[in-house]
């Protein structure tokens, strides 16, 4: 497994990411994730849709909560063939509880806890913590990556306007 040290920090302390760096124009790698109802999903389950794949360390942290609520509010403005998937290492039960408590009903929360396949395939698995780095990948209807953002400091939010613009273009 490829190790990429120092690309992200937590409170200024450098961390190591496991997996490759993904670039715009490449085919989005597959993944196997667990839904809040314990079913498994993969990239092919979203074929023909524009996707924002949003990885966060944990929904139960302040920045992740703000980010997920913001994307949930923005999801209402997107077309029927667009999905925002928020992915973390949180257990599916915890994700379901959190979404219910926060009124999250537009964003799909998915767990990578079982295999860490998203984290490894998208290069956002933090070696030291076995959590996912804060990142966003936009995938168009053809399965190609059209936008990537790896947030340098885990406690910072992503560039929402850039993500939403890329997502609007990905559905065209």
């Amino acid at each position: 497994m490829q190790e990429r040290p120092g690309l992200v920090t937590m409170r200024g302390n450098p961390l190591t990411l496991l997996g490759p760096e993904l670039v715009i124009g490449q085919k989005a790698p597959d993944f196997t994730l667990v839904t809040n109802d314990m079913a498994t999903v993969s990239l092919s389950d979203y074929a023909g849709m524009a996707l924002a794949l949003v990885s966060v360390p944990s929904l139960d942290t302040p920045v992740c909560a703000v980010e997920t609520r913001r994307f949930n509010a923005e999801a209402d403005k997107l077309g029927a063939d667009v999905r925002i998937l928020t992915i973390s290492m949180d257990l599916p039960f915890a994700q379901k509880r959190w979404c219910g408590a926060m009124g999250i009903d537009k964003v799909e929360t998915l767990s990578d806890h079982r295999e860490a396949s998203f984290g490894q395939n998208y290069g956002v698995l933090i070696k030291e913590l076995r959590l996912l780095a804060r990142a966003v990948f936009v995938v168009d209807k053809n399965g190609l990556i059209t936008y990537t953002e790896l947030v340098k400091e885990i406690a910072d939010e992503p560039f929402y306007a850039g993500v939403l613009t890329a997502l609007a273009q990905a559905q065209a």
Side-chain angles (χ1 to χ4, degrees):
M1 178 71 45
Q2 181 181 357
E3 293 191 8
R4 299 179 302 132
L7 294 177
V8 296
T9 60
M10 178 180 259
R11 296 184 200 109
N13 297 311
L15 299 168
T16 304
L17 297 180
L18 299 177
E21 177 183 2
L22 302 185
V23 296
I24 292 172
Q26 84 176 81
K27 185 165 178 52
D30 200 9
F31 51 74
T32 301
L33 299 169
V34 181
T35 68
N36 293 175
D37 296 324
M38 300 302 292
T40 57
V41 293
S42 65
L43 183 61
S44 64
D45 291 309
Y46 300 94
M49 296 181 186
L51 303 172
L53 305 174
V54 180
S55 69
V56 298
S58 176
L59 294 173
D60 276 322
T61 61
V63 176
C64 297
V66 166
E67 179 179 353
T68 304
R69 286 195 306 266
R70 170 75 186 269
F71 279 126
N72 192 67
E74 297 290 347
D76 255 350
K77 303 170 191 167
L78 305 172
D81 57 348
V82 178
R83 295 289 184 277
I84 298 176
L85 310 179
T86 297
I87 304 159
S88 71
M89 295 299 263
D90 296 319
L91 293 174
F93 312 108
Q95 290 180 337
K96 186 173 187 174
R97 176 200 50 77
W98 186 87
C99 287
M102 295 294 166
I104 303 299
D105 58 354
K106 304 289 186 273
V107 167
E108 293 179 49
T109 55
L110 300 168
S111 177
D112 200 22
H113 86 97
R114 195 177 286 165
E115 297 178 24
S117 73
F118 180 86
Q120 291 176 32
N121 294 347
Y122 282 73
V124 294
L125 182 62
I126 301 171
K127 178 181 179 179
E128 295 85 352
L129 304 173
R130 199 173 191 280
L131 295 174
L132 301 180
R134 189 175 315 283
V136 182
F137 303 91
V138 174
V139 179
D140 71 10
K141 293 179 178 185
N142 299 313
L144 299 177
I145 296 172
T146 61
Y147 178 91
T148 66
E149 179 183 359
L150 179 63
V151 179
K152 172 76 173 161
E153 170 56 48
I154 288 176
D156 292 341
E157 295 174 57
F159 179 54
Y160 297 109
V163 174
L164 295 169
T165 297
L167 199 51
Q169 293 170 347
Q171 66 180 324

